[in-house]
Amino acid sequence: MNNETAKKPLLAVRDLTLDIATPNGTVRILEDVALEVHPGEIVGIVGESGSGKSMTALSVLRILPPTAKIVSGGIDFEGVDLATLSARRMRSIRGRRIAMVFQDHMTTLDPVITIGAQIVEAYRIHHPRSSRADAHARMVETLTQVGVLDAVERAKQYPHQWSGGMRQRAVIAMALINDPDLIIADEPTTALDVTIQAEILAVLRELRDRRDLSILLITHDMGVIADMADRIVVMKEGKIVETAEVHALFSSPQHPYTQKLLDAVPRPSAEVSEVAQPEAAEPAVLEVENLVVEYNRTWRRKGFHAVDDVSFSVPKGKVVGLVGESGSGKSTIGKAIVGLAPITSGHIRVGGVELKELRGSAARKASETYGMVFQDPASSLNPRMTIGECIGEPLVAHRQSMSRTARRERVVELLEQVELPAAWVTRFPHELSGGQRQRVGVARALALEPELLIADEPTSALDVSVQAAVLDVFQELQQRLGFSCLFISHDLAVVELLSESVVVLQRGQIVEQGDARSVLNAPQTEYARRLVDAAPLPDPARQRARHLTTITTA
Amino acid sequence: MLRTLVTRLVSSVAVFLLIAVGLFALVRLAPGDPIEMMVPPEIGGADREAYTAAVRERFGLDQPVVVQFWRWLGGLMTGDLGYSYTNGQPVGELLADRLGPTALLMGSALLIGLIIAVPAGVIAAVRQNSIADYTISSVSVIAISVPSFFLGMLAIYFFAVKLQVLPSSGMHGTGRDDLGDLLLHMVMPVGLLALANAASFIRYVRSGVLEELGKDYVRTIIAKGGTPSRALRHALRNSLLSLVTVLAMTIPITLSGAVVLEQIFAWPGMGQLAIYALTNRDYPILIGFGLYIALLVLVCNLIADLSYSIIDPRVRTAR
């Protein structure tokens, strides 16, 4: 594919500059963005949120917000400038020659129309004279091509009846049905589990190989980009900072920002470390014993076991990672510990105290021993409370005797611990960035000096470089304060970075547990191995070598 | 689905019975004695007491309240709502006579309101912040805020008194029974009620369509190469789902507007009957009217809930 670069590009974005009008004046969103996509090539755009990567994609199809305006530059598609094309001719290109795959599979499909009808619609917009039967046959064929089994029956279903991975296949089928030359995929796998992400990426890769399709792939995930792209464009604050061939970019990044981005990616270590000695009988801070959490149980019907007979413990001062895909029950375990999920049977002991048996003030007293950091820092802080009030609230609830000044001092101390300026106590959450908000979340969880911290995907909503900074603070605090932590995450690299041991869950049951390094580098069970293999490595050479081995072993 | 239907039906019946008990109690607690009004004022002294006692006995009002309630409930079960205190006619019959005109008034007003509101709401949403949007939105605000009796009197003044093109009251002209005459009588009351309905529906349609137009699937349709009107069709279909619920909930509210308009235009419907009963302390009619409203609300809510689970595939196909 690479020797084709000499040929004329399929798509050429020429020095595109884009403004968006806001009530506070115009904001420059893109500045002199230039990139090319050749036939059969996968070009990746990487960058953090706000870098303009999605805006670049939307400008190619001209589905920009009405306040956006192309100031200068152009978009050449096979020699035609899309920026100045009439609305009518633009429509004949959208979905026909250039198709789009959006990120959020939950919302990109019309909820009240069957999947089949929506794919048929995509075909008939561009083939108005085609017969119904014809369009239907094509729809079934395309769905089958992207790996949907029993497409005839499944096409009669509505989007909510399909799983996330399946819906994303439907969106890809919708993009493919008119046999386009270019597909723009905007974070196509971000909302999916790793194993499903691997399947979707394989579908895209195969399509490129079979149909000589070009793909413009937008992502923030360095692993995905290493896995997929031939060439990579790095964007920052609306500008392109570096364009390079994939191997060159990963082995010798030229721009400092690219370097920073690559450094921020948590990397799974390559080698298996010697198995750590089993800890000398340290008392466990958290003991979970035969935990069962069952939902929807009725007197005549067995309920759904979200957590099914799970036992593990978190030793004092240690970090234990809890990993698994969505629906594996990892968050439910966290919720059960803090009393937000019903314990059907089994035991949870924090600091040797059985939580289930506590009532009233004793239960409140016990809740001082654990703190919780939630996934979404934007919605887990009360928007009407200042940072100081948010962090101080646990103190108000549990240390009624504490004086106002003592409380204020403690809040300031906590802010400093998470490396935020003490002056920020009077700020409101919306004035902070995502990473800063999550630091506030950590500070709040630590306010009562808990023995145990439960962190439920604390960094999965953050950009990589921000994630790296938050994880640094977290790691340092953990070592200094010595609290124990149950770290719930779907990101194996993050878990390996932070935790000594790891518990792998699948459908509510433990499939493997042990020392983090050995489990994640040499998994013993089939499921754990699949999970580890599915996570793309941020290293193009190693990641692509993996495909070869999976092909040869398959 | 069937299970939902059964539980909803059972709970609706229970609510209806509770309302019946409440109505019965409330009316007994109200001050004033209807019997006093039935006794001619020229009868005085001991005669008056004897006369009053006789009337009480005739209506069964000499019995303890519990007995009265028990008899009334028994009657209710067999569809017997008792007899009017003032003219002795069966309440059920009185209500049934009035049902037709009211249904005609409300039904046509609802239909016309919808016919106005859906296109107007869509235009206001699609041309957001344009002159068309501002005009539609302000007219609907005015129609909501100006009381219907005021608009009714204005309409009578202009169309009946000044221009003399429309009849000012009733359902039929004297001695006439043809459709044209009925339609002519309907113009003002139906028009005003339809306007009030349309005014509130427009706001639902506008905000519903606007909300749907901002959703991702609309962008998907544009990205597929669809025209803006195709995208609008999808958005409209989604927003009308929620309008059905709003519609079913609005019907009982429309009734209150109808009561006022019926009075102004002397429309021989339920509302007029209710006001007559109120001013004459005719308890059986009042209770009957109350039960009728309760039934209407319950049935409409039931329809709102069930229609949603029929037309929305997300509810319909959920297990």
Side-chain angles (χ1 to χ4, degrees), chain A residues 399-451:
Chain A
R399 306 263 189 277
Q400 273 122 355
S401 58
M402 202 174 191
S403 74
R404 218 171 249 271
T405 32
R407 201 189 310 139
R408 196 172 310 138
E409 274 164 27
R410 173 78 181 129
V411 169
V412 166
E413 185 191 357
L414 284 162
L415 271 176
E416 278 163 358
Q417 277 181 350
V418 295
E419 293 170 20
L420 289 177
W424 284 15
V425 282
T426 54
R427 294 206 181 182
F428 284 93
H430 71 263
E431 296 174 76
L432 273 59
S433 70
Q436 290 162 348
R437 264 181 246 157
Q438 198 55 297
R439 289 171 194 228
V440 173
V442 172
R444 176 174 62 183
L446 293 176
L448 297 169
E449 299 172 68
E451 292 172 55

Side-chain angles (χ1 to χ4, degrees), chain A residues 61 63 91 94-95 100 102 104 107-113 118 121-122 125-126 158 160-161 174 300, chain B residues 3 216-217 219-228 230 234 237-238 241 312-314 316-319:
Chain A
L61 276 181
I63 38 183
R91 278 202 294 277
R94 283 188 202 128
M100 183 107 191
F102 291 102
D104 193 349
T107 57
T108 43
L109 294 168
D110 188 330
V112 300
I113 294 175
Q118 295 190 54
E121 183 183 33
I125 286 173
H126 297 286
Y158 292 90
H160 71 273
Q161 293 168 293
M174 200 155 77
R300 55 179 169 181
Chain B
R3 223 182 117 154
D216 284 352
Y217 68 82
R219 190 181 60 180
T220 306
I221 292 154
I222 298 293
K224 282 201 263 193
T227 55
R230 181 184 291 273
H234 281 257
R237 188 182 163 138
N238 272 281
L241 288 187
D312 191 329
R314 280 163 295 185
R316 185 176 62 219
T317 55
R319 4 212 138 261

Side-chain angles (χ1 to χ4, degrees), chain A residues 8-18 30-38 45 55-57 59-62 69-85 216 231 233 235 238-240 243:
Chain A
K8 268 186 69 180
L10 180 70
L11 174 81
V13 177
R14 288 181 288 106
D15 300 331
L16 189 71
T17 300
L18 184 84
L30 299 177
E31 192 165 346
D32 292 335
V33 169
L35 59 91
E36 288 184 351
V37 182
H38 292 267
I45 306 184
M55 275 296 168
T56 310
S59 354
V60 172
L61 276 181
R62 266 180 39 203
K69 188 169 168 280
I70 293 175
V71 181
S72 64
I75 300 149
D76 286 341
F77 181 72
E78 293 190 323
V80 181
D81 186 6
L82 297 184
T84 54
L85 210 59
L216 185 61
R231 252 173 348 105
V233 173
M235 288 191 75
K239 288 182 208 129
I240 289 180
T243 304

Side-chain angles (χ1 to χ4, degrees), chain A residues 286 312 314 320 322 333-334 337 452-455 484-488:
Chain A
L286 171 70
F312 67 93
V314 179
V320 172
L322 201 53
I333 292 175
I337 296 168
L452 174 72
L453 196 72
I454 295 154
S484 317
C485 176
L486 181 65
F487 195 91
I488 302 166

Side-chain angles (χ1 to χ4, degrees), chain A residues 159-407:
Chain A
H160 71 273
Q161 293 168 293
W162 285 40
S163 67
M166 292 299 280
R167 272 197 294 250
Q168 201 58 308
R169 283 172 202 261
V171 173
I172 293 174
M174 200 155 77
L176 280 177
I177 194 161
N178 291 310
D179 210 357
D181 304 288
L182 173 67
I183 283 191
I184 301 177
D186 188 357
E187 305 267 10
T189 57
T190 303
L192 304 172
D193 276 327
V194 268
T195 51
I196 294 161
Q197 162 169 294
E199 288 169 17
I200 297 285
L201 294 181
V203 167
L204 286 174
R205 223 176 2 244
E206 195 206 307
L207 287 169
R208 188 273 294 267
D209 294 344
R210 202 154 32 125
R211 298 194 178 189
D212 211 25
L213 189 73
S214 306
I215 300 176
L216 185 61
L217 177 71
I218 293 145
T219 181
H220 69 281
D221 188 326
M222 291 310 232
V224 170
I225 212 88
D227 190 9
M228 298 289 291
D230 300 315
R231 252 173 348 105
I232 297 173
V233 173
V234 183
M235 288 191 75
K236 187 198 179 197
E237 289 160 18
K239 288 182 208 129
I240 289 180
V241 296
E242 185 168 356
T243 304
E245 193 271 329
V246 58
H247 295 281
L249 187 101
F250 277 89
S251 57
S252 54
Q254 299 298 309
H255 195 277
Y257 178 73
T258 316
Q259 236 144 19
K260 189 185 147 210
L261 215 54
L262 287 175
D263 288 345
V265 179
R267 270 159 218 273
S269 56
E271 76 289 345
V272 181
S273 62
E274 70 275 32
V275 177
Q277 269 82 47
E279 294 292 327
E282 271 275 20
V285 168
L286 171 70
E287 289 167 280
V288 175
E289 212 180 292
N290 306 109
L291 178 68
V292 176
V293 176
E294 187 177 317
Y295 286 115
N296 297 332
R297 190 196 182 101
T298 61
W299 55 275
R300 55 179 169 181
R301 189 162 50 89
K302 247 185 89 165
F304 164 70
H305 283 214
V307 178
D308 195 0
D309 196 18
V310 165
S311 306
F312 67 93
S313 62
V314 179
K316 190 169 169 53
K318 299 288 180 209
V319 180
V320 172
L322 201 53
V323 299
E325 299 187 283
S326 44
S328 63
K330 57 187 193 303
S331 286
T332 310
I333 292 175
K335 283 186 192 160
I337 296 168
V338 299
L340 295 173
I343 300 168
T344 310
S345 67
H347 306 276
I348 295 175
R349 281 183 290 269
V350 177
V353 181
E354 175 82 49
L355 293 181
K356 205 165 67 172
E357 285 155 13
L358 299 178
R359 293 280 177 278
S361 62
R364 262 231 311 284
K365 185 84 190 130
S367 71
E368 282 182 30
T369 53
Y370 52 78
M372 183 137 185
V373 183
F374 297 93
Q375 173 171 4
D376 184 3
S379 58
S380 58
L381 294 174
N382 186 337
R384 303 264 177 272
M385 275 162 80
T386 64
I387 301 306
E389 287 167 340
C390 286
I391 299 175
E393 201 171 27
L395 299 171
V396 175
H398 287 277
R399 306 263 189 277
Q400 273 122 355
S401 58
M402 202 174 191
S403 74
R404 218 171 249 271
T405 32
R407 201 189 310 139

